[in-house]
Amino acid sequence: MPPNPGMAGDPSLAAIASNWIFKFNSARRAREPASAMAELFSPDPWWRDHLALTWDLRTFHGLSDILGFLAGTLSRAGTGPITLAPHSGQLVQMGGQISFIYASFTFVTKFATCSGGVKLLQGQDGHWRAWNVYTRIEELKGCAQDLQRLNIRDSQVDDDFDVVILGGGQCGLQLAAASRAIGMRVLIVEQNARLGDQWRRHYDPLRLHLPKQHSQFLYRSFPPSTPLYPSKDDIAMFLEQYSQTCHLNVLYSSRVQNATFDDSSNTWVLDVLQSGGSSRLVRSSHVVLATGILGALPVMPNLSGKSVYRGASLHSVEYKNGAHWRGKRAIVVGAGTSGHDIAEDLHRHGAHVLMVQRSPTAVVSKHLASIYFAQHYQEGISPDTVDRALESTPVLLNRELAAAAASYMQQMDAPLRAGLGRAGFLFRHPDPAEMLYERFGGYYVDTGEPFDAAIIEGKINIKAGIPLTSFTQRGLRFADGSEVFADLIVFATGFETSGMRALAGQLVGAGIGDTLREPWGLDEEGEVKAVWRSSGHPHLWYHGGDFKAARYYSKLVALQILATKLGILDRYQS
């Protein structure tokens, strides 16, 4: 590991960062730029670019890939010299193992103003070299963001828009606000009668397992009265307030029946079914699916014998609360967030609960989560600043760092893990990339409620690692031959993650639908395959993710749409 850069006698952090930036700018003008730049990077460097230099979301790993990327890109993008941002240069220590200097910078390209950051490691020779560089677009020249636009009611009265967004959840609303802030005309098509109904329909005890600082929206903050872990009703109410205060144009109780693309005008013609059964044709240059990752297509285990089971069987999407199950026997299949929430609710209402854990679960304690969020979401630091710092680290590098921190996390959570382990609970190490971009489940973040204590004390039982085989008349049978009786079985087994592409295909037809890429999962660079970037069609987009992703990527999707409108989105010009 590199030596601690904070030792006495070191130059100021800003001076170290400034010196690296000076050398980088000089290397670009050298007779052999590649050779000069090679001296500026650590032995295993990473570069993550968000639209600034590639008009895409890209990660380059290794010196040869980075130098190859920079060789043609800097000149083609018209990149000017990078400039150290004021008051930049911060010492960061990661788990007492890695220390680096993080410095922010700005630069301009042919079409945009941009920002970035560099993480510098000190080598054995005392020189500071780049371990991780991050570049990101900020604004297109001549199209500055103006938040005053959000204070004016949308006066759009015709049926011609720059962007039509399907879905008025956290992603759709923030994308609409980001698009309006840079001057585009936007319509949101929402299938529910009220914004937030998708939250109101979930089970009663639902609340976020991450604090509200992590879950803030673009341009507007939660009311001060919002609890640290907002409930589903807090979120639903805020969605309505957000739409009103940003003066967004929402068409309620409506859905797009089909979409036809006119190649001659690069315009979608959308057939919108409104409440009451009337139809309306809407034209738009771009369509964005912000219809949510989860909730549309529940996944149920393929078990025989369901017709003979005499009790109640339902998916978590149908569960409301445990009020009618006092004194009854309940099985909850699934040990992720929803499984924990529902098992806890049934226990609180007096049911006798068995949680069936089909595979190991990643559990993060309240103590560890509090340390993480206290480090990042500090008083006086905007969520936007935190987002940039977190997104600067490539996904695959983040996976390596998480694996390296496994022993530290296990040590911090040793008492919790020991207690749950004695109860039979199976653990896996948290993999942020898999949890957020591939599986969308298989983890649980503790919020400090006494649920884990109920498992440890045997008040909620665990049956782990034994496959289910079938329903029986009175419950479920397992692969070890055992049978568990239950009056209620709740399957907290997740949702189908390919629903966005399937929905897009239904709307646009097989011709265009066959060209669309699978939205989720990671490509070979560790970037999400098609959400927030090219879907396979230059005028159709996917937008989704958790609260942080919705907040961060809404601006980037809006800027790609605007760049396409202006004819400067590089990857679409060939």
Side-chain angles (χ1 to χ4, degrees):
M1 293 298 172
N4 189 327
M7 67 183 76
D10 277 351
S12 74
L13 304 181
I16 294 171
S18 181
N19 183 53
W20 186 89
I21 287 175
F22 173 79
K23 289 180 178 180
F24 181 87
N25 289 330
S26 299
R28 290 184 55 191
R29 302 188 299 270
R31 179 172 298 180
E32 296 183 9
S35 178
M37 282 197 176
E39 296 297 318
L40 300 178
F41 290 91
S42 69
D44 188 33
W46 300 75
W47 190 304
R48 193 178 201 193
D49 181 64
H50 282 175
L51 307 180
L53 303 175
T54 63
W55 284 117
D56 201 352
L57 310 179
R58 299 290 305 276
T59 293
F60 303 91
H61 181 207
L63 184 61
S64 61
D65 283 354
I66 290 174
L67 294 181
F69 147 66
L70 293 176
T73 303
L74 292 175
S75 58
R76 185 177 70 249
T79 310
I82 63 177
T83 303
L84 185 69
H87 313 296
S88 189
Q90 177 187 4
L91 175 65
V92 179
Q93 294 181 321
M94 299 181 64
Q97 295 179 316
I98 300 176
S99 299
F100 59 86
I101 294 173
Y102 182 78
S104 301
F105 55 78
T106 60
F107 62 100
V108 297
T109 64
K110 191 185 307 181
F111 297 115
T113 59
C114 305
S115 66
V118 58
K119 298 182 178 82
L120 298 170
L121 292 178
Q122 189 178 33
Q124 296 297 326
D125 59 4
H127 292 296
W128 295 88
R129 296 182 176 88
W131 171 38
N132 175 197
V133 183
Y134 161 70
T135 44
R136 169 199 151 112
I137 196 171
E138 291 297 334
E139 291 184 336
L140 297 178
K141 292 179 178 178
C143 302
Q145 174 181 272
D146 182 0
L147 298 186
Q148 290 302 314
R149 293 186 175 110
L150 302 180
N151 297 328
I152 302 172
R153 188 165 300 281
D154 194 334
S155 59
Q156 180 73 27
V157 294
D158 59 25
D159 291 319
D160 196 358
F161 299 90
D162 294 312
V163 191
V164 168
I165 300 169
L166 310 188
Q170 64 205 38
C171 293
L173 293 180
Q174 291 182 82
L175 175 58
S179 300
R180 285 203 68 207
I182 54 177
M184 290 193 285
R185 294 164 295 128
V186 186
L187 174 69
I188 299 171
V189 179
E190 169 57 43
Q191 66 179 354
N192 293 309
R194 292 176 64 191
L195 292 175
D197 277 353
Q198 69 270 40
W199 285 87
R200 296 184 184 93
R201 281 196 296 267
H202 283 295
Y203 50 84
D204 292 344
L206 175 62
R207 61 192 177 109
L208 301 187
H209 283 242
L210 300 177
K212 63 181 179 181
Q213 294 89 337
H214 168 274
S215 307
Q216 296 285 6
F217 281 40
L218 277 174
Y219 316 129
R220 304 286 190 267
S221 298
F222 286 124
S225 59
T226 304
L228 181 62
Y229 297 99
S231 69
K232 64 168 189 169
D233 293 328
D234 294 322
I235 298 297
M237 185 182 304
F238 185 71
L239 292 175
E240 289 189 307
Q241 294 173 352
Y242 186 86
S243 174
Q244 294 164 4
T245 60
C246 292
H247 297 95
L248 303 179
N249 191 359
V250 184
L251 192 61
Y252 296 97
S253 301
S254 302
R255 62 181 179 87
V256 175
Q257 300 184 97
N258 59 74
T260 304
F261 191 70
D262 182 351
D263 291 292
S264 63
S265 62
N266 285 333
T267 302
W268 292 100
V269 179
L270 307 174
D271 180 9
V272 181
L273 180 65
Q274 302 180 104
S275 63
S278 62
S279 186
R280 172 182 175 183
L281 292 182
V282 173
R283 297 175 65 84
S284 178
S285 298
H286 295 265
V287 171
V288 181
L289 271 75
T291 49
I293 305 169
L294 309 177
L297 299 170
V299 172
M300 293 284 282
N302 185 19
L303 300 176
S304 62
K306 183 177 180 180
S307 61
V308 305
Y309 175 55
R310 296 175 179 175
S313 171
L314 56 136
H315 190 271
S316 60
V317 74
E318 303 169 277
Y319 179 83
K320 294 303 290 181
N321 60 60
H324 300 294
W325 299 102
R326 181 176 299 278
K328 303 292 186 179
R329 294 166 298 183
I331 297 175
V332 177
V333 180
T337 300
S338 295
H340 276 71
D341 285 350
I342 291 170
E344 176 185 2
D345 184 62
L346 285 164
H347 172 65
R348 286 182 171 178
H349 281 89
H352 305 290
V353 183
L354 171 71
M355 173 182 280
V356 175
Q357 186 186 27
R358 298 181 298 164
S359 59
T361 305
V363 177
V364 179
S365 70
K366 181 183 180 182
H367 178 58
L368 263 181
S370 298
I371 292 174
Y372 174 85
F373 288 109
Q375 287 177 338
H376 291 94
Y377 295 92
Q378 300 175 22
E379 189 71 28
I381 300 179
S382 71
D384 186 62
T385 299
V386 178
D387 292 346
R388 293 163 195 267
L390 295 176
E391 290 291 333
S392 68
T393 305
V395 172
L396 296 184
L397 175 56
N398 213 16
R399 174 175 278 170
E400 291 182 8
L401 296 172
S407 60
Y408 168 77
M409 296 179 68
Q410 291 173 8
Q411 180 181 357
M412 295 292 288
D413 280 351
L416 174 65
R417 294 173 66 91
L420 292 176
R422 287 193 298 271
F425 198 88
L426 302 178
F427 294 94
R428 64 192 300 269
H429 181 69
D431 180 347
E434 181 189 55
M435 293 190 307
L436 295 176
Y437 307 131
E438 296 177 314
R439 187 175 175 185
F440 306 107
Y443 65 92
Y444 172 71
V445 180
D446 179 32
T447 58
E449 295 296 318
F451 176 70
D452 288 324
I455 294 178
I456 293 170
E457 296 168 7
K459 297 175 181 177
I460 293 177
N461 294 316
I462 296 288
K463 193 174 182 69
I466 303 173
L468 295 163
T469 57
S470 66
F471 285 92
T472 66
Q473 286 188 347
R474 301 176 63 187
L476 290 174
R477 191 178 304 282
F478 293 79
D480 62 359
S482 63
E483 180 182 359
V484 177
F485 301 149
D487 304 290
L488 169 69
I489 304 172
V490 182
F491 290 91
T493 45
F495 298 85
E496 177 59 57
T497 60
S498 62
M500 293 178 77
R501 186 175 186 269
L503 174 59
Q506 293 172 14
L507 295 178
V508 304
I512 294 177
D514 290 344
T515 70
L516 298 178
R517 299 161 60 192
E518 190 61 42
W520 294 104
L522 301 179
D523 64 16
E524 63 277 3
E525 294 179 354
E527 296 292 344
V528 176
K529 289 179 179 177
V531 182
W532 319 311
R533 58 196 299 207
S534 172
S535 69
H537 189 282
H539 292 262
L540 188 146
W541 306 82
Y542 301 121
H543 187 29
D546 68 357
F547 284 90
K548 181 182 76 67
R551 181 175 62 236
Y552 177 83
Y553 286 101
S554 286
K555 285 186 178 181
L556 298 187
V557 175
L559 286 168
Q560 289 175 87
I561 292 173
L562 180 57
T564 306
K565 177 182 177 182
L566 299 175
I568 60 176
L569 192 60
D570 206 34
R571 65 172 179 266
Y572 293 155
Q573 304 312 306
S574 60

